[in-house]
């Protein structure tokens, strides 16, 4: 596996997206109005998501969409309708929490790259290996892991690892609470 560093910037609004692209981010992750863990953030309208994908690609910037909530069975048609126009616009990947969503996206949008969200609470090589076998090309391990624990996963599993280099507002284990969404 090629060793490279990707500067990935979070974008909670269209203005922060423009700032990240102008500042030289390699990629951005953002959420729309549905299926994102930051439901109370400004987030992007459907029209802004497509505009952001198109603009990012003009500058060689990749766009990853957060679909990092648990989804009810009856919501799957809405997941499809939500992702389809973004997929057609060239969305680069999706960051997911729900295993059902992961399998559904893999089957419905086979060219879309899958990233396992920190909300999956990946803490070791077994979880990382399982997710790689399920089609994920990248994992975001639990934020509480030490650098040594992350290195151990990397030694045992050939998969991209994304790590947060900033703090989090959440006081529970890797996004397993609603505290951060209540603070925003």
């Amino acid at each position: 596996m090629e060793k490279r560093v990707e500067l990935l910037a979070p974008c909670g609004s269209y203005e922060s997206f423009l700032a990240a692209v102008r500042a030289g981010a390699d990629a951005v992750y953002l959420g729309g109005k549905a299926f994102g863990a930051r439901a109370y953030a400004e987030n992007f309208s459907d029209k802004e998501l497509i505009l952001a994908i198109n603009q990012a690609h003009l500058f060689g910037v990749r766009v990853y969409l957060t679909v990092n909530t648990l989804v009810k069975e009856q919501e799957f048609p809405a997941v499809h309708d939500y992702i389809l126009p973004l997929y057609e616009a060239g969305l680069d990947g999706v960051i997911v929490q729900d295993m059902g969503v992961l399998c559904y996206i893999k089957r419905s949008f086979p060219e879309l790259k899958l990233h396992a969200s920190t909300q999956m609470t990946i803490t070791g090589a077994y979880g990382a290996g399982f997710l790689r076998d399920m089609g994920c090309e990248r994992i975001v391990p639990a934020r509480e892991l030490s650098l040594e624990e992350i290195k151990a996963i990397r030694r045992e599993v050939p998969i991209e690892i994304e790590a947060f280099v900033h703090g989090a507002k959440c006081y529970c284990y890797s996004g397993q609470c609603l505290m951060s969404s209540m603070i925003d």
Side-chain angles (χ1 to χ4, degrees):
M1 185 184 310
E2 177 187 338
K3 186 175 182 177
R4 64 180 169 81
V5 174
E6 176 185 70
L7 179 58
L8 173 62
C11 298
S13 68
Y14 194 75
E15 292 73 28
S16 62
F17 160 76
L18 291 174
V21 170
R22 289 175 183 150
D26 299 309
V28 297
Y29 70 91
L30 42 79
K33 301 292 185 188
F35 306 110
R38 299 193 65 217
Y40 302 110
E42 186 176 335
N43 293 319
F44 289 68
S45 70
D46 294 346
K47 190 181 285 187
E48 286 175 327
L49 286 170
I50 291 172
L51 182 61
I53 292 166
N54 291 332
Q55 286 188 317
H57 289 169
L58 287 174
F59 296 96
V61 175
R62 290 172 295 283
V63 178
Y64 306 123
L65 178 70
T66 56
V67 182
N68 56 348
T69 60
L70 299 175
V71 174
K72 296 177 181 139
E73 192 72 29
Q74 64 266 25
E75 294 176 311
F76 276 87
V79 170
H80 184 273
D81 293 345
Y82 176 58
I83 294 176
L84 180 61
L86 306 175
Y87 179 75
E88 290 172 340
L91 180 66
D92 295 287
V94 180
I95 303 168
V96 298
Q97 172 187 10
D98 188 298
M99 283 301 300
V101 170
L102 188 142
C103 294
Y104 183 79
I105 291 173
K106 181 179 174 186
R107 185 179 70 241
S108 301
F109 305 100
E111 300 302 313
L112 202 52
K113 294 179 180 174
L114 296 167
H115 298 182
S117 172
T118 192
Q119 275 87 6
M120 283 193 163
T121 318
I122 304 152
T123 59
Y126 290 122
F130 174 76
L131 288 162
R132 179 204 58 216
D133 294 346
M134 292 298 295
C136 288
E137 79 166 32
R138 179 182 297 177
I139 62 162
V140 186
R143 288 177 251 182
E144 295 76 17
L145 297 185
S146 68
L147 187 55
E148 285 307 312
E149 291 168 314
I150 294 171
K151 285 180 183 178
I153 293 170
R154 181 67 182 99
R155 280 192 302 272
E156 294 182 43
V157 182
I159 193 168
E160 290 181 10
I161 296 177
E162 176 185 321
F164 286 88
V165 294
H166 57 78
K169 291 187 230 173
C170 189
Y171 291 95
C172 272
Y173 202 82
S174 280
Q176 299 299 313
C177 71
L178 292 175
M179 178 62 81
S180 60
S181 69
M182 297 300 168
I183 293 172
D184 277 342

